[in-house]
Each structure stands twice: as structure tokens, then as C-alpha cells.
Amino acid sequence: KWFSSTEEGQVTAVPAPQAAEHGTINMRVGVVALLLVVVLVACWGARATKGPYTIQGNQVLDAQGNVHLFRGVCRPSLEYWPDGVGMNQADFNMMAQWGANIVRVSVSEAYWFKGGGNDRIWYSPFVYQRNVDKYIRMAKNATLDVIIDMHSYGIGDENSTRFWTEVATKYKDDPSLLFEVFNEAHGISCNEWHGGNATKGTHGMQDMVDAVRNTNATNIVIVGGTNWAYDLKCVKNYPINTTNLMYATHPYNFPGKQRNNWPNDFGFLLNSYPIIATEFGNTIDCTTGYMEGFLAYCEANNIHWTAYAWSAGSCAGPNLFNSTSPSYVPSPPGEVIKRLLYDFAYGSTTTISSSSSSTFSTSSAATALTSSSSSSSASASASASASASASAS
């Protein structure tokens, strides 16, 4: 007799002749399943994570030594709600479908240590950390690299360094993870930004980076500047001492953060370090000129980016879609990001329909930048749209 497992997990005796037929059918099913897996792997293979990553000069290199650019989105909610809001496997799969190769997941050091919730639900630190694990797995299932963003403001404290000691110890063997040690520093001097202030009990960026490195973690670390992470001029006199380092900037459409400011505020580092914009956009209204002008600057200078925010709501949030149902309908900023991500991942901008007037692409971005390098972001946007419209016609 041969033996076969039933759906309920019980072992059932099968007469030999039937078993032979049963085995043939199972073999056929197995071959079909194997072929399906091969097809899926082939389809996703080009999108699979390519770490471990190393940095040489101003370039990120993948495991094969090829230059790698991170292009993705920011996924908020774990920083303000311990279970996350609307985070599931389909959510991360949609990011990959748009063309993202990385997602920035914001987390809370307070929840990590103290848990959180409301009057009806209370999460222990253990449950919160388990949730972080779960969402990282989901992102990796979707072939996305992950930035763990400690989403705090101002400057760090002893809990910040403790957080990175624990997180780096936990995840240091996973090369698909990048560590953004602090979200947005502001209201501090360059000296405090770098090394903290013992009198005030603050811990600076170097302290948090050291906490990571003291665990022997070699993952890429990301350090943002001052003025809500936008301004990196402190690096001139207070550089961070470590390897595998990227600097981050957060350009938003405010005075002093316009196209003519970018070279002096963070662009001066482009020849020395890889730069990543882990947030950017227009929080004033739903126009996309500022975003398109900045993305043109990114494309011309190989700046990595994660667009804020993969969430539904007002496009001035900025939020990348109007609703998650039925199919993640993009907002005007979302249309820009979706088109550029798709172009970057799949080499085409003509296969995605759009109800928006935006027709941004990598080629139009370059045209926008080179045609008017000294123009305002609004002019860059107009040039980008005109170039793309001409290409379409």
C-alpha cells in the first residue's frame, strides 16, 4: 500500500494501483505548481531586494557591485498608532506594483519601550515590536527594502540611543534594512545636532549612529539635517563619523527651501555622499510644481527618495492617494510619484492612464532641469509638463 495525506492532515491507506494513479496526478499538480513558482520568481526577480548594500564615495552599491538607487514611498501610522492603520500585505504589494523598491516605515521609540493604545486597547512593548516585525516581513514579501525611521522631532535623548541599540541588535543580520536614526531635528545648534548636550540630557546624531555601530551592525545608516531635517550645512563642520552613511533632506514648499536654496543647503554634499530625500512635497495645496521641480533635481543628481506619504486624505498632506478603495486612486501628487516610480522600475511612462494633468517622467524631468537651471520650481514644473506633452504628441 501507498499512503496519502488528506486535507485534514490524516494519513489514509491507498491501494497500490490507485496510489500509482494518485501519484501521477500529484506529480502533474506538483510540476504545474513548480512552473508557477518559477514564473512568479522570474517576474519578481528583477524587483527582488539586492542587498547587502555598501557605500563607496557618493554611490550605493548592491551585492554585485552595481550602482543602486532607492526609489520608494513613506508608510506612516506605526508612529502614532501601535497597530498601524490599514497596513497589510496588499498595501505593500501595491507599493511594489507602483514600482517602489523601498518603503520607509515610521516607528515610535515611545511605543517600542512603553506600548500604547487607548481606553479599549492597550499594547505592550512586546506586541508593538511584534507588529513592527510583521510589517517588515510584509514589505520583504513584496520585495521591498525597508527604512526603519525613528519618527521623532527635536533631538534625541537616552531613549533614542537605547532604541537603536535594541533595533540594531535585533535586525543587524538583515541587509535589506536601513536605519534612519532620527526623523526631524530642529531648534538646535550644529554642535548639539552632532553630539547632543549633556546639560540638557540630549543625544545627537553621532550618539545614535554610534549606538548602531556598537552592535557591529553594518547596515546603511541615514542622518537628516537641522531645520526639520532639511538643512545639511552642519555637516561642513560636524560630519558624522561612520561608514555606510547616507545623509537625508526633507524639502517642503516653504520659504528658504526653494530650488535656488537646494545647492547650498544640501546639494554641496552630492559629490561626497549619497543623499536621500526621505520626505518632500507640497503641504500648502494640491499643485505639483514644487514636487516636479524637486524630482527633476533628484533625477539630474542621482538623489534617492521616498515620497511622503503612502496614505489617503488631503493631497496637501501630502497624501499620495484619495482613497484606498477600490484601487488606490492617486491624488495629483500621487500621479506624479506613480508615473515616475513606474518609469524607474519598468522603463515606460505611457502605459499608465491618468486623469491628472501631470505628465511627469524622467526624461521630462531632465529637460525641465537643463532648460532652466536658474528658474523657480514653478518654471521647472511647466518645463517638465511641456516636455512630456510634446513627447506624447
Side-chain angles (χ1 to χ4, degrees):
K1 294 182 181 292
W2 293 75
F3 294 88
S4 173
S5 297
T6 67
E7 288 185 0
E8 299 299 325
Q10 299 173 339
V11 177
T12 305
V14 182
Q18 296 179 31
E21 181 179 355
H22 182 70
T24 302
I25 293 173
N26 280 347
M27 182 179 293
R28 290 171 181 167
V29 172
V31 170
V32 171
L34 179 60
L35 288 173
L36 179 58
V37 170
V38 170
V39 169
L40 289 174
V41 170
C43 290
W44 283 99
R47 301 290 317 289
T49 58
K50 298 179 179 181
Y53 300 102
T54 56
I55 291 175
Q56 291 186 10
N58 64 350
Q59 295 181 325
V60 176
L61 305 182
D62 65 18
Q64 287 70 46
N66 300 313
V67 176
H68 184 80
L69 280 175
F70 293 113
R71 294 281 190 269
V73 295
C74 300
R75 185 51 168 99
S77 75
L78 274 175
E79 77 277 24
Y80 63 79
W81 186 245
D83 197 33
V85 177
M87 299 178 76
N88 52 48
Q89 189 62 62
D91 195 49
F92 291 101
N93 291 347
M94 184 61 73
M95 298 174 197
Q97 185 175 326
W98 273 33
N101 63 18
I102 194 167
V103 55
R104 178 187 188 240
V105 176
S106 297
V107 299
S108 163
E109 66 175 88
Y111 286 157
W112 186 271
F113 294 124
K114 300 178 182 178
N118 59 18
D119 293 339
R120 293 171 296 170
I121 302 174
W122 188 264
Y123 288 90
S124 70
F126 170 79
V127 174
Y128 182 74
Q129 293 173 28
R130 188 178 63 184
N131 286 337
V132 174
D133 280 343
K134 176 176 65 177
Y135 295 128
I136 288 174
R137 285 198 306 272
M138 288 181 182
K140 292 172 64 178
N141 288 342
T143 70
L144 296 167
D145 289 316
V146 179
I147 297 172
I148 299 177
D149 154 45
M150 191 183 75
H151 206 79
S152 299
Y153 303 89
I155 192 59
D157 56 22
E158 62 180 8
N159 281 333
S160 305
T161 50
R162 179 184 164 206
F163 172 87
W164 282 114
T165 297
E166 292 194 9
V167 170
T169 299
K170 183 181 182 69
Y171 295 117
K172 64 183 178 181
D173 294 325
D174 189 341
S176 66
L177 301 180
L178 290 70
F179 302 149
E180 186 172 7
V181 297
F182 201 84
N183 172 42
E184 290 184 337
H186 69 93
I188 54 173
S189 67
C190 287
N191 184 61
E192 187 173 0
W193 169 84
H194 182 269
N197 184 307
T199 302
K200 296 165 61 176
T202 60
H203 289 218
M205 300 296 175
Q206 186 68 61
D207 301 315
M208 289 178 272
V209 169
D210 288 346
V212 171
R213 295 298 184 231
N214 287 341
T215 69
N216 295 320
T218 59
N219 305 60
I220 288 177
V221 292
I222 300 173
V223 175
T226 57
N227 190 7
W228 305 93
Y230 164 76
D231 190 341
L232 285 167
K233 289 195 292 292
C234 286
V235 177
K236 292 180 178 180
N237 295 319
Y238 296 89
I240 300 300
N241 181 25
T242 191
T243 57
N244 274 2
L245 168 68
M246 301 179 76
Y247 283 109
T249 183
H250 288 185
Y252 282 103
N253 190 19
F254 296 116
K257 300 182 179 182
Q258 300 301 311
R259 170 66 180 84
N260 61 312
N261 304 117
W262 301 336
N264 291 329
D265 293 343
F266 58 86
F268 67 93
L269 289 172
L270 286 169
N271 291 329
S272 304
Y273 298 93
I275 305 298
I276 181 168
T278 49
E279 292 186 23
F280 58 91
N282 180 7
T283 62
I284 299 173
D285 55 38
C286 295
T287 59
T288 61
Y290 183 86
M291 174 183 285
E292 293 183 75
F294 177 67
L295 289 168
Y297 188 79
C298 290
E299 294 305 315
N301 292 284
N302 291 324
I303 295 175
H304 309 252
W305 52 261
T306 51
Y308 198 87
W310 186 265
S311 54
S314 167
C315 55
N319 294 289
L320 296 182
F321 39 87
N322 299 318
S323 67
T324 55
S325 178
S327 57
Y328 291 78
V329 179
S331 63
E335 287 281 5
V336 174
I337 296 302
K338 184 176 182 179
R339 286 176 173 271
L340 189 52
L341 284 174
Y342 194 93
D343 190 25
F344 179 76
Y346 305 109
S348 172
T349 56
T350 59
T351 57
I352 297 181
S353 62
S354 170
S355 59
S356 168
S357 60
S358 172
T359 52
F360 183 75
S361 69
T362 51
S363 59
S364 61
T367 302
L369 190 71
T370 56
S371 64
S372 182
S373 59
S374 61
S375 65
S376 66
S377 59
S379 298
S381 170
S383 299
S385 299
S387 173
S389 299
S391 298
S393 61

